[in-house]
Amino acid sequence: MSSFKTTFWLTVLATILIIGLPTILKITKNHEERMYLVATKKILESAEACFYDDVCQDSMISLGDLKQKGYLDDVIDPQTKTYFEDDLMLVYENYRVSFKSDKS
């Protein structure tokens, strides 16, 4: 009888691990992606407000400039757990703000 109980509990534990572990990993990954989207959206919205208020005149602005003008506080990158760099550039064109790609 003891062998049956051991086999039963090992099967239950294996089933929980097989189903539970990938689910937990997926939930964690999705959470980190959403947190990154929230952080980047906060930056983009701050830059849009600056451009729409005509405080930012050039078509490009850095994160440091947004902070200096009072449109943004420090924002933490949830993936690296550090602050976004002040030299990160944003571009305003066609009434939209986006991050400047390294290719430009």
Side-chain angles (χ1 to χ4, degrees), residues 13-93:
L13 181 63
T15 303
I16 290 172
L17 286 175
I18 289 171
I19 295 170
L21 190 60
T23 303
I24 291 171
L25 293 174
K26 183 175 181 180
I27 289 170
T28 302
K29 181 181 177 201
N30 287 343
H31 175 71
E32 289 174 358
E33 288 174 357
R34 285 191 206 119
M35 292 296 292
Y36 184 78
L37 287 174
V38 167
T40 56
K41 187 172 182 174
K42 180 179 180 180
I43 293 170
L44 293 173
E45 287 175 349
S46 298
E48 285 176 356
C50 186
F51 285 112
Y52 293 154
D53 292 345
D54 288 328
V55 174
C56 301
Q57 298 294 324
D58 296 331
S59 63
M60 289 179 53
I61 189 166
S62 70
L63 226 57
D65 292 337
L66 283 174
K67 290 178 189 177
Q68 188 179 39
K69 293 176 189 296
Y71 280 88
L72 187 65
D73 295 323
D74 287 330
V75 180
I76 295 177
D77 182 343
Q79 293 175 336
T80 62
K81 309 290 188 239
T82 59
Y83 291 109
F84 281 96
E85 298 292 327
D86 283 349
D87 60 352
L88 182 65
M89 298 299 292
L90 297 128
V91 180
Y92 179 72
E93 59 186 2

